Each structure stands twice: as structure tokens, then as C-alpha cells.
């Protein structure tokens, strides 16, 4: 896809120098802090207004990045284009959302927002049936775990609990202290549908969490009746055909009242005893209606084919997310310099360095700018379902997100930094966090060996941490699919998700070192005769 008009304008404005790249016997030296400064200053400028999804600035960013891939000399990676298009939906509550309990001759009409609200993945439709408790609603064959073992839920309304067993246990097979994909609503709803349920009721995990008021939770999910809710992938929504709603602890208690136990007590018994049907005599009549608005956005994908005939059908993915966030109104600009213009320009620098090399790597390199990361990793989840290279042929994924600052935590009570230790920017000035290394000792060894040439302080400390950084960037869908990953991240800081995350605060000298480190790890991974080994969490304890 040619995007020369917008590219020519921006190139003239920035003075980028990718056209006519000359071969370089030592291309790592082309990774240059001043070129990163120029491009980052553009992407994080006030004019780009944060590059939030479904905005003209986001579209400009994707087209600019596609132009740069073309200028560097990468091949279009997606059906003859650099742009992988996908559709987001953003919903609002329709008029027909109701939940009625019928039992013992009594009828209870639940109140929307106070007692229930639809999940954003819910189908619009009507369902009714007897209720059956199915624990956490998880089926995990790889962990030999199945909440539906021995249960027949066909035609019934399934009541399941949020999250997953042992969530606060560091040795939990589900990913330790990090919430796995099995604990997400998508799995629970899809799994109930697969087992023939007519609808899903999602109850709050009372055993492992301090509960906020249900009304606050509902208003956070659906800000008001006129505002649209969170973004979701249309591809996901199309797979869900049953209604799914969240219910309050009080409504869950009313449902299971005949068992004389609370939801928390049911959870505890379920974890100790395994699957066991709980009699719930009430019948539920449920109707949901969501009104959707669609937006088309793009990932940006560029390919450097491998040189080895036997290995070129394998790929190393090098990625970063291009989007950031908007404020409550368009008057306040969230520039997103560190998050994640820093990673975005790093991908460009790496693509350019490899394009300059006199010898292409043995495996193919796929350079990826993922979109809608801030909306729930939606671009990378979409890519993981529709990849350029099958994930079983993707030998590693290297991700850069926030690589331009020094980690700084002065207020551990701030919700953004929950359970992080107090630390100063000065003590982290030469540090970079590397996540994912516990899932691949091979990649960790490559990073440590490469760093002998760079001299950074590598910190491997957040893979099993309740802040959940391991699952909070675009490497996660790859890791969940058992692709070895390394996530390079210089850490959170007071400007994280604030208007003060601006280009003048970026440490470009440190960024240059990090990008050169990623170059060395990428080169070795792409050229190694043996692909890096993946170590599942549950087997590395």
C-alpha cells in the first residue's frame, strides 16, 4: 500500500533519512538517540494529541509508521499492505436490560446498575432457565483443571465467580500472582457457551478481593446512560451468542439462599472439593441489549524476510504499541512520550538497523506497531488470532513499552503503583526491567550476554508480582499462547498516564542503550540454530 502523500509531507518536516539506506557492516551504530529524539518529538507532540484510538491523530500515526516501513525497505506484511485493519466496537446500554428471579412463588425484579449490569462482551438477547453454580467457570486442559467436570449446564443459566482459584498464591498454577486469561470474562463466557449454557451470571470474587460498591463498579463499566463503554474487538463479540451479566453480592446471595452459604463460602468449598453441583431453585429470566458504534483502526506490520531457506518460515516479532490515551476532554493533552512513543520509535530504529545489515538474519523479522493497547491489548490480541506467521512458527516476541525514563515510585498508595516498593529515579538511572524471562531461560541468557556489550543494569523482578505488569503490554497474548517473550520496560513513574509525559523528559542516552540491547538479542534469536525454549509457569516452580 502506497502512502506517499502523507509520508512525503511528514518526512520533509522531520528530515528523516531512511531513503536509500546504505549497507552497514556494523548496523548497531545506526541506532541513534538524535534520530529517536526527532521522531519521538513528532509522535508525542501536542498536534498528535496522544494518538488515541478512533481519532484522526491515531490514523495519522499509523500512516506515518507505514510510510516509514516502506521508506526503510520492509515488505508489506499483511495482504499486500503495511496496515492490518480490524474493527472495534464501543457500546452503550440499550433500553431492554432486565433480570428477574422467580422462586418459591416470589418474583424479584433486579435493578440495573444497583444489582446487575451487562458485560461488554454480552450478546443482545433473551434467555431463561434454572441456575447452576459452576465455580470459576474455567476449563484449563493444560492444567488438568475443569470446573464443568460432572456438570450438565445445557439450557441452564450458569453462575460463576470472577477471576481464578488461588489468585493471591505466588505458586498458583494459573500464573502465580498474575491474572491469567483463564480468569478473564472472555474465557468464562465462551466456556459457558461451549458447554451449552443459555446465559452467564458473573458474581464478584468475594474471597480474594475487597469489594467496592456494586453501583460504583457498574458506573465505572458504563459511565452513564449516554456514554459509551469500553472498546472491544468486533471479532470477539461476534463469537458470543448468549447474554452475560455481572451481579451484586446481594443478588448472588439471594440466588443461593437456599444453600445457606455465601458466595465466598461456595468458593472456598469449591476449591477444596472440586466440581459439585449446588442446588439453586430459582429460575432466571434475563434480557440484554447493547447498542454499538464501530471504528476501524490498524496495526502496522513490516517484514524483513529471513535468509535461511529452512528457517525463514519462522519469525521473531519485534513490537511496541503506538496508541496512548485521551483526557476527559480534548482540552488536556496526554502526549504519551514514554508511553509509548519511546517504544514506537525504537521499533523504527531496529527495523532500520536490520535493513542496513549486509546480511539478513536467518529467520524472518516482523516489526509490529500494535494499536489499541491502552484499550485492553486489543491490537495484539487481534494479531494473535490473525498472525502473519502462525504462533507455533513465532519463536520469540520482543516488546518495548515505556523505555525512556527511570522507574520512580514515591507514593505507594497511588493506585497506579499498588504494591510497588518506594524507589527513586536516580537509583534506577541505569536500570531496565525485563519481564518474561522466567518463561524462557534461553532468552534471559541471551539478554545477559548481550548486555556485556551495553552495560545496563538488568532487573528481572516483576514476572510474579501483584501489580501484574507481566500481562499489561502487547507481549502478553504471545506469552499466553506459549511464545517466548522478553518485555523491556524502564518502569512506572509519576508522569505515567498524566499530561506531563512529554518528550523533554525522555532520557535518550539510556534509550539508545536499550534499543542496542534489543538489537543484539533480536539478532542472536533470529540467527540461532535452536529456537528459544518456553518454560510454562507451572513447571518452573
Amino acid at each position: 500500500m502506497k502512502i506517499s502523500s502523507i509520508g512525503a509531507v511528514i518526512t520533509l518536516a522531520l528530515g528523516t533519512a531512511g531513503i536509500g539506506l546504505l549497507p552497514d557492516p556494523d548496523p548497531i551504530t545506526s541506532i541513534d538517540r538524535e534520530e529517536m529524539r526527532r521522531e519521538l518529538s513528532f509522535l508525542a507532540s501536542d498536534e498528535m494529541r496522544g494518538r488515541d484510538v478512533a481519532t484522526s491523530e491515531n490514523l495519522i500515526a499509523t500512516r506515518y509508521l507505514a510510510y516509514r516501513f516502506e521508506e526503510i525497505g520492509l515488505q508489506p506484511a499483511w495482504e499486500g499492505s503495511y496496515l492490518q485493519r480490524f474493527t472495534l466496537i464501543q457500546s452503550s446500554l440499550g433500553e431492554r436490560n432486565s433480570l428477574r428471579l422467580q422462586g418459591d412463588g416470589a418474583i424479584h425484579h433486579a435493578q440495573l446498575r444497583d444489582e446487575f449490569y451487562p458485560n461488554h462482551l454480552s450478546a443482545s438477547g433473551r434467555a431463561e432457565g434454572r441456575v447452576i453454580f459452576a465455580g470459576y467457570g474455567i476449563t484449563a486442559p493444560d492444567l488438568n483443571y475443569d470446573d464443568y467436570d460432572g456438570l450438565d449446564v445445557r439450557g441452564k443459566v450458569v453462575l460463576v465467580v470472577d477471576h481464578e482459584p488461588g489468585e493471591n498464591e505466588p505458586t498458583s498454577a494459573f500464573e502465580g500472582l498474575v491474572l491469567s486469561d483463564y480468569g478473564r470474562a472472555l474465557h468464562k463466557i465462551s466456556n459457558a457457551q461451549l458447554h451449552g449454557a443459555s446465559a452467564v451470571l458473573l458474581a464478584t470474587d468475594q474471597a480474594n478481593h475487597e469489594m467496592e460498591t456494586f453501583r460504583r463498579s457498574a458506573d465505572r463499566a458504563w459511565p452513564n446512560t449516554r456514554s459509551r463503554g469500553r472498546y472491544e474487538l468486533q471479532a470477539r463479540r461476534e463469537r458470543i451468542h448468549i447474554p452475560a451479566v455481572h451481579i451484586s453480592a446481594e443478588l448472588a446471595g439471594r440466588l443461593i439462599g437456599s444453600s445457606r452459604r455465601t458466595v465466598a463460602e461456595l468458593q472456598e468449598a469449591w476449591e477444596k472439593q472440586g466440581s459439585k453441583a449446588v442446588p439453586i431453585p430459582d429460575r432466571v429470566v434475563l434480557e440484554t441489549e447493547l447498542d454499538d458504534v464501530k471504528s476501524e483502526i490498524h496495526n502496522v506490520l513490516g517484514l524483513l524476510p529471513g535468509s535461511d531457506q529452512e528457517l525463514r518460515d519462522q519469525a521473531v516479532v519485534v513490537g511496541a504499541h503506538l496508541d496512548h490515551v485521551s483526557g476527559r476532554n480534548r482540552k488536556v493533552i496526554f502526549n504519551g512520550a514514554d508511553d509509548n512513543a519511546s517504544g514506537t520509535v525504537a521499533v523504527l530504529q531496529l527495523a532500520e538497523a536490520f535493513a542496513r545489515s549486509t546480511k539478513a538474519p536467518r529467520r524472518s523479522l516482523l516489526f509490529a506497531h500494535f494499536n489499541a493497547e491502552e484499550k485492553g491489548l486489543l491490537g495484539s490480541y487481534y494479531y494473535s488470532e490473525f498472525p502473519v506467521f502462525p504462533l507455533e512458527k513465532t519463536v520469540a516476541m520482543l516488546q518495548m513499552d515505556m523505555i525512556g525514563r527511570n522507574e520512580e515510585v514515591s507514593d505507594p498508595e497511588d493506585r497506579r503503583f499498588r504494591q510497588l516498593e518506594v524507589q527513586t529515579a536516580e537509583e534506577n538511572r541505569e536500570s531496565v526491567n525485563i519481564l518474561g524471562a522466567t518463561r524462557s531461560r534461553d532468552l534471559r541468557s541471551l539478554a545477559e550476554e548481550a548486555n556485556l556489550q551495553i552495560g545496563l543494569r538488568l532487573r528481572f523482578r516483576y514476572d510474579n508480582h501483584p501489580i501484574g505488569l507481566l500481562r499489561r503490554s502487547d507481549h502478553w497474548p504471545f506469552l499466553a499462547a506459549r511464545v517466548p517473550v522478553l518485555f523491556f520496560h524502564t518502569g512506572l513513574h509519576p508522569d505515567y498516564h498524566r499530561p506531563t509525559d512529554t518528550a523533554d523528559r525522555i532520557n535518550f542516552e539510556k534509550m539508545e542503550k536499550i534499543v542496542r540491547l534489543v538489537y543484539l538479542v533480536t539478532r542472536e534469536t533470529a540467527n540461532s540454530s535452536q529456537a528459544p525454549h518456553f518454560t510454562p509457569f507451572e513447571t518452573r516452580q
Side-chain angles (χ1 to χ4, degrees):
M1 178 178 181
K2 300 284 283 187
I3 318 175
S4 56
S5 57
I6 187 170
V9 171
I10 298 175
T11 301
L12 287 173
L14 290 175
T16 55
I19 296 176
L21 294 178
L22 297 176
D24 189 339
D26 188 15
I28 193 172
T29 60
S30 70
I31 295 171
D32 178 65
R33 69 189 72 168
E34 292 307 317
E35 187 170 339
M36 286 192 283
R37 187 192 306 273
R38 288 196 299 272
E39 294 205 273
L40 188 147
S41 296
F42 162 65
L43 289 169
S45 65
D46 286 352
E47 290 75 14
M48 293 298 288
R49 306 191 67 84
R51 313 174 303 282
D52 201 359
V53 301
T55 65
S56 59
E57 294 83 11
N58 183 276
L59 180 61
I60 290 171
T62 59
R63 290 185 172 178
Y64 169 69
L65 295 170
Y67 172 79
R68 286 287 285 123
F69 277 172
E70 182 181 45
E71 181 186 47
I72 289 167
L74 300 183
Q75 294 182 9
W78 186 253
E79 299 178 349
S81 174
Y82 296 100
L83 302 180
Q84 182 185 45
R85 182 174 60 187
F86 60 99
T87 302
L88 301 181
I89 53 175
Q90 193 180 26
S91 305
S92 60
L93 295 175
E95 295 181 359
R96 293 187 295 276
N97 286 287
S98 63
L99 176 60
R100 186 170 75 246
L101 309 186
Q102 299 175 178
D104 295 329
I107 297 177
H108 176 74
H109 293 274
Q111 296 299 306
L112 180 64
R113 292 180 178 270
D114 290 322
E115 295 181 285
F116 83 99
Y117 62 86
N119 183 272
H120 291 86
L121 287 167
S122 174
S124 293
R126 185 180 185 278
E128 60 179 294
R130 297 288 182 184
V131 181
I132 187 166
F133 182 64
Y136 290 90
I138 293 172
T139 299
D142 54 320
L143 302 178
N144 196 28
Y145 180 95
D146 188 3
D147 282 321
Y148 285 88
D149 183 32
L151 296 185
D152 182 2
V153 303
R154 288 173 294 179
K156 297 181 176 67
V157 175
V158 171
L159 171 63
V160 301
V161 180
D162 283 342
H163 302 146
E164 63 197 21
E167 185 179 347
N168 295 324
E169 299 174 9
T171 58
S172 167
F174 282 92
E175 288 290 346
L177 296 174
V178 179
L179 184 66
S180 75
D181 275 4
Y182 287 123
R184 299 170 65 236
L186 173 62
H187 172 79
K188 296 172 187 286
I189 299 169
S190 301
N191 198 32
Q193 179 176 281
L194 182 66
H195 283 85
S198 62
V200 182
L201 307 178
L202 297 151
T204 303
D205 177 359
Q206 298 178 39
N208 298 308
H209 291 268
E210 294 183 10
M211 290 190 299
E212 64 180 357
T213 66
F214 188 78
R215 179 61 188 241
R216 182 178 178 183
S217 175
D219 287 345
R220 189 158 46 84
W222 302 99
N224 58 60
T225 54
R226 296 177 302 280
S227 296
R228 298 195 172 274
R230 56 176 285 180
Y231 286 92
E232 269 297 350
L233 287 172
Q234 178 179 274
R236 282 180 182 168
R237 173 71 70 74
E238 290 174 343
R239 294 196 296 268
I240 303 299
H241 308 298
I242 61 175
V245 300
H246 297 266
I247 63 172
S248 68
E250 292 74 18
L251 190 62
R254 181 187 289 268
L255 268 172
I256 65 174
S258 63
S259 69
R260 300 184 183 277
R261 288 187 287 182
T262 66
V263 171
E265 290 170 338
L266 282 180
Q267 280 182 252
E268 183 178 0
W270 193 271
E271 291 191 38
K272 289 180 178 179
Q273 301 171 14
S275 300
K276 183 178 179 181
V278 177
I280 300 176
D282 283 6
R283 186 176 186 84
V284 166
V285 181
L286 173 63
E287 187 171 17
T288 52
E289 182 182 46
L290 303 183
D291 297 327
D292 300 332
V293 170
K294 298 179 181 180
S295 302
E296 288 189 347
I297 64 171
H298 307 85
N299 294 325
V300 187
L301 308 174
L303 175 65
L304 184 65
S307 59
D308 189 302
Q309 292 299 316
E310 295 184 1
L311 296 179
R312 65 184 308 171
D313 65 337
Q314 300 178 11
V316 177
V317 176
V318 181
H321 74 89
L322 67 95
D323 62 305
H324 190 53
V325 300
S326 294
R328 294 181 181 273
N329 59 65
R330 294 279 285 175
K331 295 180 181 178
V332 178
I333 298 173
F334 286 62
N335 301 82
D338 191 28
D339 186 16
N340 185 35
S342 64
T344 303
V345 300
V347 170
L348 294 177
Q349 286 284 297
L350 289 163
E352 192 164 288
F354 279 102
R356 287 179 181 271
S357 178
T358 55
K359 184 177 181 180
R362 298 174 68 194
R363 291 184 176 87
S364 296
L365 298 182
L366 182 77
F367 297 94
H369 296 289
F370 296 112
N371 217 330
E373 187 268 359
E374 301 286 1
K375 309 305 180 187
L377 318 184
L378 297 184
S380 52
Y381 268 117
Y382 184 85
Y383 176 87
S384 71
E385 293 191 30
F386 303 97
V388 174
F389 290 82
L391 294 187
E392 59 269 21
K393 293 287 190 179
T394 302
V395 302
M397 192 276 176
L398 306 176
Q399 169 75 1
M400 294 164 289
D401 191 348
M402 298 177 63
I403 60 168
R405 296 285 296 272
N406 301 326
E407 186 163 13
E408 180 182 358
V409 180
S410 56
D411 181 9
E413 299 302 316
D414 189 319
R415 289 186 61 186
R416 296 176 297 163
F417 313 128
R418 59 187 176 87
Q419 301 190 55
L420 287 177
E421 62 183 22
V422 173
Q423 48 197 299
T424 67
E426 176 59 25
E427 66 185 277
N428 286 313
R429 63 187 179 90
E430 289 298 323
S431 296
V432 57
N433 298 303
I434 299 183
L435 290 83
T438 55
R439 308 304 198 273
S440 180
R441 297 184 182 92
D442 295 340
L443 284 183
R444 173 170 178 158
S445 295
L446 286 179
E448 290 174 325
E449 184 175 347
N451 191 51
L452 296 176
Q453 300 181 49
I454 305 298
L456 289 163
R457 180 189 181 197
L458 307 186
R459 306 197 70 178
F460 303 93
R461 53 178 174 163
Y462 289 137
D463 273 14
N464 194 10
H465 192 284
I467 196 172
L469 286 171
L470 184 64
R471 63 159 298 129
R472 284 170 56 179
S473 195
D474 287 313
H475 61 283
W476 175 260
F478 294 84
L479 188 63
R482 301 199 167 201
V483 174
V485 308
L486 288 184
F487 167 30
F488 297 83
H489 172 62
T490 49
L492 304 181
H493 48 75
D495 300 314
Y496 167 62
H497 278 199
R498 293 291 185 265
T500 47
D501 181 11
T502 50
D504 59 299
R505 302 186 181 211
I506 297 296
N507 182 343
F508 288 98
E509 180 179 357
K510 181 177 178 179
M511 259 188 71
E512 182 182 86
K513 292 180 181 180
I514 294 169
V515 180
R516 291 184 176 192
L517 174 65
V518 178
Y519 172 86
L520 293 173
V521 176
T522 304
R523 186 181 67 185
E524 293 308 308
T525 305
N527 286 324
S528 174
S529 297
Q530 295 295 322
H533 179 69
F534 179 83
T535 305
F537 175 81
E538 66 273 13
T539 64
R540 70 169 188 85
Q541 299 300 307

